[in-house]
Every structure is written in structure tokens, then in C-alpha cells.
Amino acid sequence: MYIIEESRLRSNLQLIASVAREADVEIILAFKAFALWKTFPIFREYINSTTASSLSEARLAFEEFGAKAHTYSPAYTDEEFDEIVRCSSHLTFNSLSQYERFHDRVVGKASIGLRVNPEYSEVGTLLYNPCAPGTRFGVTNEKLPATLPADIEGFHCHCHCESGPDVLERTLVHIEEKFSRWFPQLKWLNLGGGHLMTRKDYDTTHLINIIKGLHERYPWLKIILEPGSAFAWQTGSLVSHVVDVVEDKGIRTAILDVSFTCHMPDCLEMPYMPEVRGAEIIEGDDNSQFVYRLGGNSCLSGDFMSSWRFDHELQVGEEVIFEDMIHYTTVKTCTFNGITHPSIAMLHADGKLEILRQFGYEDYLDRMD
């Protein structure tokens, strides 16, 4: 079961709203990291907008969050485009060819933007680096005309992943060097996501000062940030249970009733080593007492991670709790092997646990034909 804690969520939202006020910046929720729509009434107390990258996300913004989305997609399709525009306040094109094909259908309905590529990113994991050579994201400066088309009102630039303000500061040097000549023609600048301002060691004062510096240099530009992880960072856990313990070549594996590939995909993709409550992360080989791999309950051979040391022998039926499992989990889960999807719940500030969603066979069946 995924359990999101209302008090922690509100703490993050209060910090984000405070940064937005002090820096005079619009901070919006990126659905790609968090889209639990039953929590939107809480979000609406602190923020006004969201960001979408598909028709489904744009509809979620408009119909469930109650405000049109800031929308960006690597490529829009003809059959979905007009409906996306209907649900969008801002619409960013990934390429000049997409702009040429569709912009006439946006004019007067949404503010048009263009994604740009500063060719600089400090994201170390290639899978998550949007500025790697050969990227399909954004337009480089040498491809832009000296004078932008009159209906382009903003630039969108995303090149961070769970980054600190120092990374933004260094990145802005490249953004301004390559693209500031066009800023006088714009109304807004969207600096994307990856600004992990709710992390304990994040210097929010530094972030605020960076944004204030931007305002001083370009006072006409509205600055937008669209973090995803920052909203749901450290707001809840995934509670699993041991269903068996097996051993081979001296390696003990506790098999759980959840799956890394199905329910915690970033652990295998990033790779991201999650904290487990009451256990210590072990680096390297260690076959000492109470050290376990944790294995998912799917048929994928690699559906496991190593290793954690517990202070006791794990027993069948015992809880194993993965910390910080709310962002980039429920939005990326799948039903591979037909494994039952964990329920989603909210622990309210008054201590009451509300089940937001339970999953069953019908959810799996509806995805198949």
C-alpha cells in the first residue's frame, strides 16, 4: 500500500508557496511525477496551475485540478491536438516543424512557447539527461531565426533532475549566453523541473536570490518552475510484506508482495536505492547475518535489489516499508504479470487513514483486450 501523509504534503506545499511568493515566480505541479487527483483540493490551497505532457494529463489539469495546463509534448498528434489546446493555457512546441504545423490552431487560445536546448546539463544518468548529444528535446540557438514569429511568447528549458540551486545557477549561464538575445521578444521563461527545493539540504534562499537576479536582468519576463518530485518528496511510503525467504549461494532474498519493476521502476531505471525503514543499506557483497536482497514478486529475473541489513531474521508476513515512495511511483506503475497493484491511501493530519483507491482484477482486465 502506498501511504501519502497529509501533514508532510502540506509542509512541502507551504515551503513551495513561500518560495513562490518571495521569488515572484510561478511554481506549478508536474503531473509526470505526481498525479493523485484526489489530493488536488489540498494542492489548490497553495498553487494555481499544473503542467501536462499528454492529452490525458491536460484533461486531468482542466477537469480535475480545475485550471488549464501548461502543456509540453515532444510531438503533438493531429487527432489529439485541438482537445489539448482546449485544456491548455500555455502550449510549448518541441521543434520548429511542430510549431509550423500546428501554431495557427493555438493563436488566441493559449500562449505559445518553444522548448530550447542549452546543450548543458549536469544530470549524470544518461537515461534522464535531456541535453545529451542527439537529444530529441528542444531547439538549439543556431536553429532559431533572428526574429521569432510574433506568436511565440515564451521559452521552455528543462535540464535538471533532483538538482540544487547551484546547478540552476550554472545552467543559467549557458541559457543566457545562448538565448538571452531573444528574451526581449518573450513574455515568459519556463525553467522546467528538477528543482528539489523541499530536500533538507536545499538552499531555498539561494534559489530565491537566483530568481530575483533574473527579474533584475529581465524584469518583463514571468519566470515559471515546474518541479515534480519537490511536491511529494518524503511524503509517504510503500508498505509491503514478506511472502517468502529463499537462499542460493549464501545469498538470502526476501520475496515481497510488491515489485520493483511494476511498482518502483525508478529503483531499476535510475538506479535509485531506496531507504527501508529499520534497515541499513549495504554496499558490496555481505552475507552476514540478517542481510537480505529484497525481491519483487514478478517473473523478471532482475526484479530485486541488494542489499539491506536488518536487526533480526525476517519472517513471512512481516512488513517491509520503503520510504519516500510517492513521487515517480504511482504515475509509472504497470500490471506486468498481472500482479495486484498496491492500494493508495492518505494518512490525514488527524491520524485517520483514508483509502483513496484499491485495485483488482478488473483494472488488469480493462487494460487488456
Side-chain angles (χ1 to χ4, degrees):
M1 177 184 293
Y2 297 101
I3 302 178
I4 183 170
E5 300 181 32
E6 180 184 357
S7 58
R8 292 187 177 189
L9 178 62
R10 286 188 179 275
S11 178
N12 284 355
L13 286 164
Q14 288 165 1
L15 184 146
I16 289 168
S18 174
V19 170
R21 287 192 303 270
E22 292 187 47
D24 188 22
V25 60
E26 183 174 19
I27 304 179
I28 61 181
L29 169 65
F31 284 155
K32 70 177 183 178
F34 183 91
L36 297 181
W37 55 270
K38 289 185 179 178
T39 67
F40 287 174
I42 296 175
F43 277 80
R44 287 305 305 263
E45 297 178 30
Y46 301 91
I47 65 170
N48 298 318
S49 299
T50 60
T51 179
S53 294
S54 64
L55 174 56
S56 292
E57 287 187 344
R59 286 190 59 183
L60 190 70
F62 190 41
E63 298 173 15
E64 302 298 337
F65 192 85
K68 292 186 175 183
H70 293 238
T71 303
Y72 159 80
S73 175
Y76 299 103
T77 60
D78 186 75
E79 60 270 20
E80 293 183 345
F81 189 73
D82 291 331
E83 182 68 0
I84 287 176
V85 173
R86 183 185 72 86
C87 298
S88 303
S89 62
H90 296 65
L91 192 140
T92 295
F93 291 103
N94 183 63
S95 66
L96 290 169
S97 56
Q98 280 263 300
Y99 164 82
E100 290 293 343
R101 181 181 177 188
F102 289 114
H103 77 103
D104 285 342
R105 292 157 67 175
V106 186
V107 175
K109 300 175 183 177
S111 180
I112 295 176
L114 187 67
R115 179 161 178 168
V116 295
N117 174 14
E119 302 174 88
Y120 177 86
S121 174
E122 297 185 21
V123 177
T125 303
L126 193 61
L127 181 67
Y128 290 85
N129 187 341
C131 297
T135 182
R136 68 189 193 281
F137 297 133
V139 180
T140 52
N141 62 331
E142 73 272 9
K143 295 179 180 178
L144 291 175
T147 301
L148 295 172
D151 56 359
I152 292 180
E153 297 184 337
F155 278 171
H156 174 109
C157 182
H158 174 67
C159 45
H160 298 129
C161 179
E162 297 186 357
S163 303
D166 55 319
V167 179
L168 173 62
E169 188 171 42
R170 291 190 291 271
T171 304
L172 277 173
V173 173
H174 296 266
I175 294 173
E176 292 182 68
E177 177 185 344
K178 292 179 178 290
F179 297 105
S180 62
R181 75 191 75 172
W182 289 281
F183 286 1
Q185 303 174 47
L186 303 178
K187 294 181 179 180
W188 51 267
L189 175 64
N190 185 327
L191 294 172
H195 312 279
L196 194 50
M197 61 191 74
T198 51
R199 189 176 59 200
K200 287 183 179 179
D201 63 349
Y202 191 101
D203 187 348
T204 55
T205 300
H206 191 184
L207 173 64
I208 291 167
N209 288 335
I210 290 170
I211 300 300
K212 286 182 176 179
L214 270 178
H215 285 313
E216 290 174 1
R217 296 191 295 278
Y218 316 104
W220 63 90
L221 282 182
K222 179 179 181 179
I223 307 299
I224 304 165
L225 304 180
E226 49 178 47
S229 295
F231 284 95
W233 185 258
Q234 296 288 348
T235 57
S237 57
L238 174 58
V239 179
S240 68
H241 300 84
V242 178
V243 293
D244 197 9
V245 178
V246 298
E247 184 173 342
D248 183 63
K249 308 300 183 185
I251 298 173
R252 288 181 296 277
T253 301
I255 302 179
L256 309 175
D257 59 357
V258 297
S259 161
F260 288 101
T261 191
C262 295
H263 309 134
M264 299 172 277
D266 272 0
C267 294
L268 301 182
E269 292 177 3
M270 186 65 175
Y272 161 68
M273 187 73 167
E275 297 284 343
V276 173
R277 190 173 301 178
E280 175 189 2
I281 294 173
I282 301 300
E283 296 183 2
D285 295 330
D286 188 331
N287 296 330
S288 58
Q289 192 177 28
F290 309 145
V291 171
Y292 297 85
R293 282 180 177 176
L294 297 179
N297 199 14
S298 81
C299 293
L300 177 69
S301 297
D303 189 4
F304 72 88
M305 293 195 73
S306 295
S307 292
W308 288 264
R309 180 186 290 117
F310 293 78
D311 61 5
H312 62 282
E313 183 178 351
L314 293 182
Q315 302 293 326
V316 171
E318 180 174 346
E319 284 186 350
V320 173
I321 301 175
F322 294 92
E323 306 285 12
D324 195 23
M325 277 293 158
I326 300 301
H327 58 94
Y328 282 106
T329 49
T330 53
V331 293
K332 295 180 74 172
T333 56
C334 70
T335 56
F336 171 62
N337 264 178
I339 296 174
T340 300
H341 194 292
S343 301
I344 302 172
M346 173 172 282
L347 181 63
H348 290 287
D350 61 6
K352 294 181 180 179
L353 185 70
E354 177 188 2
I355 303 297
L356 301 179
R357 177 71 187 273
Q358 288 181 299
F359 299 86
Y361 170 68
E362 289 74 17
D363 297 290
Y364 172 72
L365 182 69
D366 287 345
R367 293 192 61 197
M368 304 296 109
D369 191 353

